């Protein structure tokens, strides 16, 4: 009966102990590196860094689950790219004449390029998941609240209500299973069930709205800035974010991470590439090594 | 005398589209520092009173409003709930809808931030309210990780963060186990006594809080039926609204003793003064009803339900059930008790086959009908007749309502309809299992449900009820099972189990120190009469108690 959904929970980890702004910045730096670098080895280093970071933050298992779930995104990317790409010289299968689509030649280069794009998409999904699991959404939205109180509170409410409404739907479904003839079948019954769940959600929304009213939401003002001393983890992750961003930019402008898929795959692995990959891994993972003061 | 904090000046209010007023000519003044209890049956206006006090009525709900409510001198017609929220904190029944942020710290800070307090005031307010309510250890926890009791404390903390002068609470203990419920009432008492916070508390289980109250306002059909101190309220309830009497008051009424006590301590003091309770051991030993003798294994009838070493272990999580052995015979009625999280609901789900044990097994003699906590979860159609077959509706006494929308039914009627749905119309279920069926129910509705369950068990159906309410358990079950941490830690007759504790004991049993296994006021009164008789027969000094002639039933 335990929820398997991906929600933030305070855990004893360096990333959880970091202020939300810095945590979000670290995730942004990782995303920037993902977008700037195309070299497969560098992307694999980033993948190892995200998974290692997930393990260090105590959320390795949900991240691993995300890889499975994200297959519905990255697998089609590879397949579609192989089918539609007309570039590449190394043909490994010929589908013949496809009429208006021309010759259906499947190339190795299209597979590699598809895999690189899929890896980048996967990395972005994993980084977002890691951030949502380990960076306090309330604190993040608090930063936004200084700019737009109501929008941020609405977003915060939505974040909070997702697990509540999921639990409501589960309860309704469970109640229907206890009927002597089992849960109602057919389209009409399903529509009735859906209507009841939505109706229940609206009732709940009314109650939440009443709570917000009496807490002063209608007259809400700009949230104050809460002073908070910089912890060792704040400093470490900020330095890590800066290092990752710098390495990514350096890799992009230099030859260290050069990559070309068409017309032939060109992905040289030079000592600079190795240094870049090692640097990315170290910069991303070192902050997780210091576990002082992480207790919840 | 200082100016009243809350004034209802001839208030009459009807919800939109409803002809009958929820409040009628209500005129009440509440002074600063009062602990005021709001009593009344379900649907008689308690929630509407609270919502009018904080401005939700009429600003949020709409409807027709006449008269005037002033809070701290502010007219609620001119000032909305947001403005009034600076003076009144509100705690509703369901803690789930009162937590809007993801962490406890953010939740406590929200009300202060909304009102534009500076960063120092916010940080200090959060710290102080957390310390005052003993939730400082929860500050960095996620709100969806909290237990029901913790959620309710955090919601109370959020209501108190701005240090309001008045706190309005709508049945805050209805979803809590007896321990968490008592803790919450204790907290309110402290707030009231140490910080002079004015409390207005609507509650069905008056025995929990009557002793702490300065004043009781009883609402009848939206009108003030009684507005007096607890003692006078009990005298009024005895004559006008017996359904509002506490078990202690009923005990005294049945025993012909007056005046009715407001709580256990007062009751024991009165009984001592009357010579009916000795100083050291409570009542002298008087034989109670004999506990049923356990039958030998081979003589036992086939079980209606049997759990053998049932475990429920979560993947990557704790074990919720730990080797539970439980056998329920046909016609037996069992109350399942224990704190929130003890494993009661999980056990019932295993009984009904919604869950499969990870170890051990469950054997059923037939169908197990399970009524879950919220009857509204069963009601998905637009008409009552679509929800259950005509025979089942007739058996539940709902045939006349078949053309109504299920959501228009009262709480008790909805529960009867849900019971009809799970019972079905064919072969009656071998076991009827109910999970917390008395949540938010008034005493009259509970009595009806207990009677229904007694009838079913007399008809051969095994009944198993998970409940936090010892009075209801005593009224509907012969046997009680106490669970803790996924284990059955005590299993015996209701008389044995519900008579010897602080939390899992009825008020009658607590007053009489469990003497004679008396659980209900009627049984306790019988015991007291016998005690008085023995004292008279033994030639001892006549007790001061006036045992009214003919009071025996």
């Amino acid at each position: 009966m335990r929820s398997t959904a991906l929600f933030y929970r305070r855990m004893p980890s360096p990333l959880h102990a970091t202020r939300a702004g810095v945590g979000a910045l670290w995730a942004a730096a990782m995303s920037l590196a993902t977008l700037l670098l195309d070299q497969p080895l560098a992307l694999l280093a980033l993948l190892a860094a995200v998974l290692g970071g997930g393990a260090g933050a105590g959320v390795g298992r949900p991240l691993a689950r995300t890889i499975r779930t994200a297959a519905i995104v990255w697998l089609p990317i590879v397949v579609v790219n192989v089918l539609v790409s007309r570039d590449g010289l190394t043909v490994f299968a010929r589908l013949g004449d496809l009429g208006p689509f021309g010759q259906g030649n499947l190339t190795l280069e299209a597979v590699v390029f598809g895999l690189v794009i899929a890896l980048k998409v996967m990395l972005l999904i994993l980084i977002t998941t890691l951030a949502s699991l380990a960076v306090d959404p309330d604190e993040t939205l608090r930063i936004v609240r200084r700019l737009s109180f109501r929008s941020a509170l609405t977003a915060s409410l939505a974040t909070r209500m997702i697990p509540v409404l999921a639990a409501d739907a589960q309860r309704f479904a469970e109640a229907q299973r206890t009927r002597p003839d089992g849960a109602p079948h057919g389209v009409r019954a399903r529509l009735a069930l859906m209507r009841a769940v939505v109706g229940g959600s609206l009732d709940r929304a009314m109650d939440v709205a009443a709570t917000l009213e009496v807490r002063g939401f209608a007259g809400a003002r700009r949230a104050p800035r809460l002073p908070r001393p910089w912890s060792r983890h704040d400093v470490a992750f900020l330095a890590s974010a800066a290092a990752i961003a710098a390495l990514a930019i350096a890799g992009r402008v230099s030859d260290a991470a050069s990559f070309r898929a068409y017309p032939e795959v060109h992905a040289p692995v030079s000592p600079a590439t190795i240094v870049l990959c090692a640097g990315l891994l170290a910069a991303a993972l070192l902050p997780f090594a210091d576990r002082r003061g992480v207790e919840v | 005398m200082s100016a009243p904090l809350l004034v209802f000046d001839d208030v009459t209010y009807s919800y939109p589209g409803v002809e009958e007023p929820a409040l009628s000519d209500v005129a009440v003044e509440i002074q600063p520092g009062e602990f005021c209890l709001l009593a009344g049956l379900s649907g008689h206006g308690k929630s509407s009173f609270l919502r009018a006090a904080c401005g939700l009525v009429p600003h949020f709900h709409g409807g027709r409003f006449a008269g005037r409510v002033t809070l701290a001198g502010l007219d609620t017609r001119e000032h909305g709930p947001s403005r009034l929220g600076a003076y009144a904190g509100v705690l509703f029944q369901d803690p789930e809808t009162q937590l809007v942020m993801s962490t406890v710290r953010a939740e406590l800070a929200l009300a202060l931030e909304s009102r534009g307090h500076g960063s120092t005031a916010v940080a200090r307010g959060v710290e102080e309210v957390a310390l005052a309510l003993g939730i400082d250890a929860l500050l960095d926890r996620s709100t969806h990780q909290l237990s029901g009791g913790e959620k309710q404390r955090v919601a109370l903390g959020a209501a108190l963060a701005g240090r309001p002068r008045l706190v309005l609470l709508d049945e805050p203990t209805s979803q809590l186990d007896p321990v968490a419920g008592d803790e919450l009432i204790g907290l309110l008492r402290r707030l009231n006594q140490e910080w002079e916070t004015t409390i207005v508390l609507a509650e069905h289980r008056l025995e929990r809080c009557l002793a702490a109250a300065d004043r009781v306002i009883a609402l009848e059909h939206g009108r003030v039926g009684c507005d007096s101190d607890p003692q006078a309220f009990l005298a009024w309830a005895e004559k006008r609204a017996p359904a509002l009497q506490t078990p202690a008051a009923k005990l005294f009424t049945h025993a012909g003793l007056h005046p009715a006590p407001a709580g256990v301590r007062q009751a024991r003091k009165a009984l001592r003064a009357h010579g009916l309770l000795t100083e050291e051991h409570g009542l002298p030993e008087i034989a109670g009803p004999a506990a049923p003798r356990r039958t030998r294994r081979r003589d036992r009838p086939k079980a209606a339900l049997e759990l053998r070493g049932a475990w429920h272990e979560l993947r990557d999580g704790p074990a919720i059930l730990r080797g539970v052995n439980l056998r329920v015979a046909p016609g037996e009625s069992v109350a399942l008790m224990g704190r929130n999280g003890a494993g009661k609901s999980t056990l019932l789900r295993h009984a009904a086959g919604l869950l499969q044990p990870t170890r051990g097994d469950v054997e059923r003699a037939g169908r197990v009908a399970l009524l879950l906590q919220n009857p509204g979860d069963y009601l998905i159609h637009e008409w009552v007749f679509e929800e259950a077959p005509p025979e089942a509706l007739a058996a539940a006494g709902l045939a006349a309502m078949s053309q109504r929308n299920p959501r228009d039914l009262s709480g008790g009627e909805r529960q009867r309809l849900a019971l009809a749905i799970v019972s079905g119309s064919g072969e009656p279920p071998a076991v009827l299992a109910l999970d917390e069926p008395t949540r938010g129910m008034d005493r009259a509705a509970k009595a009806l449900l207990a009677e229904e369950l007694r009838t079913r068990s007399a008809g051969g159906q095994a009944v198993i009820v998970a409940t936090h309410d010892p009075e209801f358990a005593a009224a509907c079950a012969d046997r009680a099972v106490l669970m803790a941490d996924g284990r059955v830690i005590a299993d015996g007759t209701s008389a044995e189990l519900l008579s010897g504790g602080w939390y899992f004991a009825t008020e009658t049993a607590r007053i009489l120190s469990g003497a004679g296994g008396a659980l209900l006021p009627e049984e306790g009164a019988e015991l007291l009469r016998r005690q008085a008789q023995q004292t008279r027969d033994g030639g001892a000094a006549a007790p001061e108690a006036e045992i009214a002639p003919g009071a025996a039933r």
Side-chain angles (χ1 to χ4, degrees), chain B residues 11-14 23 52 57-58 62-69 75-77:
Chain B
V11 173
T12 296
Y13 169 71
S14 306
L23 296 173
V57 161
R64 280 178 295 129
F65 185 90
R68 183 163 55 177
V69 177
D75 189 330
T76 61
R77 290 173 305 180

Side-chain angles (χ1 to χ4, degrees), chain B residues 138-421:
Chain B
L138 305 179
L139 278 175
D140 290 314
R141 293 261 301 274
S142 305
T143 45
H144 62 258
Q145 280 181 298
L146 306 177
S147 70
E150 287 170 340
K151 278 181 184 161
Q152 198 63 295
R153 281 166 92 103
V154 172
L156 178 62
L160 291 174
R163 297 183 65 192
R165 293 168 64 191
L166 170 69
V167 183
L168 305 160
L169 305 104
D170 195 356
E171 294 179 39
T173 65
S174 67
Q175 307 200 10
L176 304 183
D177 62 49
V179 183
D182 277 6
E183 278 173 3
L184 190 70
I185 299 296
L187 268 173
L188 295 177
R189 211 169 181 162
R190 231 182 94 207
L191 283 172
N192 176 251
Q193 287 177 354
E194 291 182 22
W195 293 295
E196 274 205 316
T197 308
T198 310
I199 308 279
V200 180
L201 167 66
E203 182 65 57
H204 280 311
R205 293 179 60 185
L206 300 178
E207 63 272 21
R208 270 188 172 168
C209 38
L210 198 60
D214 300 313
R215 175 178 171 190
V216 184
I217 299 171
L219 293 171
E220 280 186 310
H221 302 288
R223 294 176 182 277
V224 176
C226 170
D227 181 358
S228 61
D229 61 67
Q231 214 76 54
F233 159 74
L234 288 171
W236 171 85
E238 185 183 344
K239 292 189 183 73
R240 292 280 305 274
L244 297 181
Q245 271 190 302
T246 61
K250 269 190 188 155
L251 171 72
F252 271 50
T253 303
H254 287 306
L257 298 168
H258 288 98
V264 172
R265 188 175 160 186
Q266 212 179 91
R268 288 177 65 86
K269 197 173 165 190
L271 289 179
R272 255 186 224 114
H274 292 148
L276 294 171
L277 205 64
T278 60
E279 277 307 318
E280 288 176 8
H281 306 294
L283 275 180
E285 262 319 298
I286 293 177
R293 197 174 280 180
R294 292 203 180 259
T295 48
R296 281 181 295 181
R297 187 177 287 268
R298 66 168 180 273
D299 299 335
R300 285 195 295 194
K302 191 176 183 315
L305 172 74
E306 186 162 10
L307 284 90
R308 284 185 290 259
W311 284 76
H312 185 84
E313 300 144 310
L314 294 177
R315 194 188 163 102
D316 301 324
I320 309 296
L321 293 183
R322 299 165 191 266
V324 171
N325 290 302
L326 183 68
R327 186 177 194 281
V328 184
E332 198 174 15
S333 48
V334 181
L336 211 54
M337 304 196 74
R339 292 205 65 175
N340 283 336
K344 304 184 297 294
S345 299
T346 306
L347 189 149
L348 293 186
R349 281 168 172 77
H350 279 275
L354 288 181
L355 294 173
Q356 299 304 323
T358 46
R359 281 159 63 195
D361 65 293
V362 181
E363 195 178 306
R364 307 168 190 89
R367 188 162 64 83
V368 177
L370 170 62
L371 183 66
L372 294 166
Q373 279 175 10
N374 187 359
D377 293 347
Y378 290 89
L379 313 179
I380 59 170
H381 294 103
E382 283 192 67
W383 305 102
V384 168
F385 70 83
E386 291 178 298
E387 296 286 4
E391 309 83 58
L393 290 179
L398 294 168
M401 296 171 186
S402 62
Q403 298 293 329
R404 289 175 62 183
N405 187 310
R407 300 210 166 257
D408 291 339
L409 302 180
S410 71
E413 288 163 350
R414 284 163 94 171
Q415 191 173 53
R416 268 155 56 204
L417 178 55
L419 202 52
I421 292 169

